[in-house]
Amino acid sequence: MSPEQEPLILTLIKIFGALGLFIYGMKVMSEGIQKVAGDKLRSGLSKMTDTRFGGVMTGFFTTSVIQSSSATTVMIVSFVNAGLLNLKQAIGVIMGANIGTTVTALIIVLFGFKFSISSFALPLLMVAVPLFLFSKTERWKYLGEFLIGFSILFIGLGALKDLVPNDLPPETQEFIGSLGEYGFFSTVLMVIVGTIVTIVVQSSSAAMAITLTLCSKGIIPFEMAAAIVLGENIGTTVTANIAAVIGNTHAKRAARAHLIFNLMGVLWMLILFNPFLRLIDGIVQSLDLGSPFADVDSINNGLTAFHMLFNILNTLLLVWFVNFIAKVVIRIIPSNDSDDEVFKLNYISGTMVKTPSLSLQEAKMEIRQFGKVLASLSKNAKKLLLSDDRSKSQNYKSRIADLEQTTDKFEEEVSNYVIRITGEELSQKNSNEIRDILSIASEFERTGDEYLRLVKHCERLDNKKYVLNTKQKDKLEALHNLLAEAVEIVSQNLNTDNLSDVSDEAAIKKEEEINKFVIKLHKQNLKSIEAQEYSVKEGIIYKDIIASLETIGDHLLNISQSAVGKYSEEDQI
């Protein structure tokens, strides 16, 4: 039964199924190539963006490789969120990504509409599936995954082409024709349609495939399809803005910059829309490809040329306004200085699906905050131990309790986030990184617990009306200064770009220094009790405070050693 003879609802269900196959193929293909070149892509994004044109070229090549502008822009937002790119660098990369996405449309036209899809998709699967299932080399395995996605994508596109009927009912044709009778407002309406379609399918490539299919069937004319493509440029920004919802201020700015850039491009194109279409018509005819205004078979050629030339010209024009766009988004989304010491999850974004490598990069950026939280815990603990003011002491206790809850939240969220990644197929490097991150997060949470235990010891002193004497405070201050140095070492280790480059040598030396000093303090404490400088009960609480500080030092060392893959016996069980 042909699509024209089937009930409309059944045809629509099949069309959506074919579209789902196309989107899934795009996802598999994109993830496969990211796994093959993920590390190189990340290093390229962070190293090749020093100039605005370097950023444009980086965005272009990245999107051309992974075949998904949405994946590139989400990656960009994540990198800005993680501090790997600044706002101006990100804007340049986003501009390049808009050009890179035209390569996807070109591939769809060349392979999906110029050749018989079944002639290469199924034979390609015959090679790709064994490569993915049986290859022991990760790179070949991921290449197989990419080829499987590539094949599924075009099988879905082929089904979409076959399912869309060639002849629509007369009333439907009249309705579509009537939409083009309102001049400029018809163009604006089609831009809105393109935006909505892209938002719904969450893929500009899928929206482009739908548009190309409708054009190939002669259902929509060239000028209407071109306006829809402009709307797709706006709709594709929604993915990055969704990714930025739970990101930090810088990530939100990068996502808004993407939206502003595409809106500015659509606005100037609407002004020059008809002359630009005539230019495209002339270019296509000069290549002996027919006229997209008069020849149905030429519409896809004209639409591809329109898509490519518009994005290239838009980037060449607006690349000079990077500073202006940056100023606009900074004004729209100002920084919030009141949150300077409010520690919260800033980097991991659980709503977006990413490759394991990128997800782990975000988790590692979250771990960098651990050093800041530890420094704040250390600072408040020192003030608590040395304070003689009960009201201030209460504030320090409250702050430590809040920070301890932060360590619990961080450990839970970061652990849950990386554990979710274990559902994906992981390289050995990714597996090792997950193990390191889980161990670091666990030790971080235990450190917070010990600082809270220190608060309990101070409360025991208050309840008994005991007060540490000057000699005890001096000793505790000296011990705490050693811990502060250990915290600084941990912070430096956590801020190392690659955890595998971390050295625990300095941490070990500092821990040995702390342990020697603790032994000395315990001996002095026993002598002071014997000399009746303070009571046995006071001496016990003082001893417990020293023990808690020593335990904190142990956890700090464990964090550094977890970063280099060394674990305590408890972690290895």
Side-chain angles (χ1 to χ4, degrees):
M1 183 181 294
S2 66
E4 290 83 355
Q5 297 172 320
E6 285 182 343
L8 178 60
I9 184 65
L10 181 59
T11 300
L12 288 175
I13 290 173
K14 289 183 177 180
I15 287 173
F16 280 113
L19 184 60
L21 200 61
F22 178 92
I23 294 172
Y24 178 71
M26 177 67 71
K27 177 179 180 293
V28 173
M29 182 179 74
S30 177
E31 289 182 351
I33 200 66
Q34 286 184 69
K35 289 173 183 177
V36 172
D39 292 335
K40 292 181 179 179
L41 286 174
R42 287 201 307 277
S43 62
L45 275 172
S46 59
K47 292 178 181 178
M48 295 172 59
T49 56
D50 290 338
T51 66
R52 64 185 70 187
F53 287 103
V56 170
M57 295 307 296
T58 302
F60 168 71
F61 284 118
T62 302
T63 306
S64 299
V65 169
I66 67 177
Q67 287 299 296
S68 174
S69 61
S70 296
T72 301
T73 51
V74 168
M75 191 184 301
I76 293 164
V77 168
S78 299
F79 281 16
V80 174
N81 198 50
L84 298 181
L85 293 176
N86 62 40
L87 180 59
K88 292 179 182 178
Q89 289 174 321
I91 294 173
V93 180
I94 287 168
M95 290 178 173
N98 272 31
I99 300 176
T101 195
T102 64
V103 176
T104 306
L106 183 62
I107 291 174
I108 291 173
V109 169
L110 289 178
F111 289 94
F113 293 89
K114 302 295 184 184
F115 301 101
S116 171
I117 295 173
S118 60
S119 66
F120 68 85
L122 293 177
L124 192 60
L125 278 175
M126 183 186 71
V127 176
V129 172
L131 199 63
F132 176 70
L133 292 178
F134 304 115
S135 178
K136 295 182 180 180
T137 304
E138 286 184 346
R139 183 170 294 273
W140 287 106
K141 188 180 186 70
Y142 296 146
L143 180 61
E145 182 179 356
F146 164 77
L147 294 175
I148 289 172
F150 187 82
S151 302
I152 292 174
L153 183 153
F154 284 103
I155 290 172
L157 180 60
L160 187 64
K161 284 171 54 184
D162 293 338
L163 288 166
V164 174
N166 292 309
D167 298 316
L168 294 177
E171 58 272 15
T172 304
Q173 294 180 12
E174 289 179 8
F175 173 72
I176 294 175
S178 68
L179 294 177
E181 297 177 355
Y182 303 103
F184 178 76
F185 293 103
S186 294
T187 303
V188 173
L189 177 61
M190 290 301 101
V191 170
I192 294 172
V193 169
T195 302
I196 293 173
V197 169
T198 309
I199 291 173
V200 170
V201 300
Q202 277 294 290
S203 169
S204 59
S205 297
M208 189 68 176
I210 294 172
T211 307
L212 290 169
T213 301
L214 295 176
C215 289
S216 69
K217 301 287 185 177
I219 295 174
I220 57 176
F222 174 52
E223 58 272 23
M224 189 177 291
I228 291 174
V229 168
L230 290 179
E232 291 167 3
N233 269 40
I234 298 174
T236 194
T237 66
V238 173
T239 304
N241 278 274
I242 291 174
V245 167
I246 55 177
N248 60 19
T249 299
H250 305 293
K252 289 183 174 69
R253 287 173 178 171
R256 298 300 186 278
H258 187 202
L259 175 61
I260 290 172
F261 166 68
N262 282 21
L263 282 174
M264 290 174 68
V266 170
L267 287 175
W268 74 258
M269 178 48 66
L270 285 175
I271 297 172
L272 301 175
F273 189 65
N274 290 324
F276 195 80
L277 291 186
R278 288 195 292 271
L279 172 65
I280 296 297
D281 182 46
I283 292 173
V284 174
Q285 288 193 59
S286 69
L287 297 173
D288 293 327
L289 296 173
S291 171
F293 284 107
D295 186 359
V296 171
D297 294 332
S298 183
I299 293 179
N300 282 354
N301 296 325
L303 198 61
T304 305
F306 172 83
H307 190 212
M308 294 185 73
L309 189 57
F310 163 65
N311 279 290
I312 291 171
L313 290 177
N314 190 42
T315 297
L316 291 176
L317 175 65
L318 295 182
V319 72
W320 304 103
F321 294 90
V322 168
N323 291 338
F324 170 75
I325 295 174
K327 289 178 181 178
V328 170
V329 295
I330 289 172
R331 183 178 292 271
I332 294 173
I333 306 175
S335 60
N336 188 359
D337 295 333
S338 63
D339 288 338
D340 282 347
E341 193 156 313
V342 177
F343 297 100
K344 55 188 177 182
L345 293 166
N346 284 330
Y347 305 110
I348 63 175
S349 47
T351 59
M352 300 305 300
V353 178
K354 306 181 185 69
T355 62
S357 294
L358 183 55
S359 298
L360 287 172
Q361 177 65 26
E362 292 187 342
K364 285 185 280 189
M365 290 308 302
E366 201 71 70
I367 280 177
R368 291 189 175 188
Q369 285 202 102
F370 289 7
K372 298 177 183 177
V373 179
L374 290 172
S376 188
L377 278 166
S378 177
K379 177 180 68 176
N380 283 277
K382 181 177 181 179
K383 290 178 178 178
L384 173 62
L385 291 173
L386 303 181
S387 176
D388 293 323
D389 188 318
R390 279 186 173 272
S391 62
K392 289 184 178 180
S393 295
Q394 191 57 44
N395 289 334
Y396 302 142
K397 292 175 185 176
S398 177
R399 182 61 181 150
I400 291 171
D402 290 341
L403 289 167
E404 190 276 333
Q405 290 183 357
T406 298
T407 65
D408 290 344
K409 178 182 178 183
F410 273 31
E411 192 268 342
E412 179 181 3
E413 294 293 333
V414 171
S415 297
N416 288 340
Y417 186 68
V418 297
I419 286 173
R420 285 205 302 274
I421 305 171
T422 60
E424 305 287 336
E425 188 159 351
L426 300 172
S427 65
Q428 186 59 49
K429 178 183 177 183
N430 289 156
S431 298
N432 291 340
E433 286 177 338
I434 288 176
R435 182 189 63 188
D436 295 342
I437 289 170
L438 288 173
S439 182
I440 291 170
S442 176
E443 290 295 340
F444 174 65
E445 188 272 336
R446 294 175 189 174
T447 307
D449 290 345
E450 201 59 44
Y451 271 110
L452 188 61
R453 189 170 290 112
L454 186 65
V455 169
K456 302 297 183 183
H457 298 327
C458 291
E459 288 178 345
R460 288 165 59 200
L461 286 173
D462 293 339
N463 293 336
K464 298 291 186 180
K465 307 297 183 184
Y466 297 148
V467 178
L468 296 175
N469 60 36
T470 302
K471 183 178 177 182
Q472 288 173 317
K473 287 185 177 181
D474 288 344
K475 298 298 182 183
L476 289 178
E477 182 177 11
L479 175 57
H480 202 283
N481 288 340
L482 292 175
L483 281 174
E485 293 171 5
V487 168
E488 179 61 26
I489 292 171
V490 168
S491 183
Q492 291 174 359
N493 285 337
L494 295 180
N495 277 279
T496 302
D497 289 336
N498 191 341
L499 287 180
S500 61
D501 295 333
V502 173
S503 171
D504 61 350
E505 185 177 343
I508 292 173
K509 288 182 178 179
K510 186 56 61 178
E511 169 64 8
E512 290 174 350
E513 190 177 351
I514 290 171
N515 287 342
K516 288 179 181 179
F517 192 69
V518 165
I519 292 172
K520 181 180 178 181
L521 290 185
H522 282 312
K523 290 180 179 179
Q524 290 177 345
N525 183 42
L526 290 174
K527 290 180 179 179
S528 296
I529 293 174
E530 291 174 359
Q532 297 184 352
E533 294 177 13
Y534 41 78
S535 68
V536 173
K537 292 182 179 180
E538 288 178 278
I540 291 174
I541 298 176
Y542 176 58
K543 175 185 69 69
D544 290 342
I545 291 174
I546 295 171
S548 282
L549 292 174
E550 180 188 18
T551 303
I552 290 170
D554 293 338
H555 290 310
L556 293 174
L557 174 62
N558 289 343
I559 291 175
S560 289
Q561 292 194 315
S562 295
V564 296
K566 296 180 180 179
Y567 300 92
S568 64
E569 292 182 2
E570 180 181 349
D571 289 323
Q572 292 176 345
I573 293 175

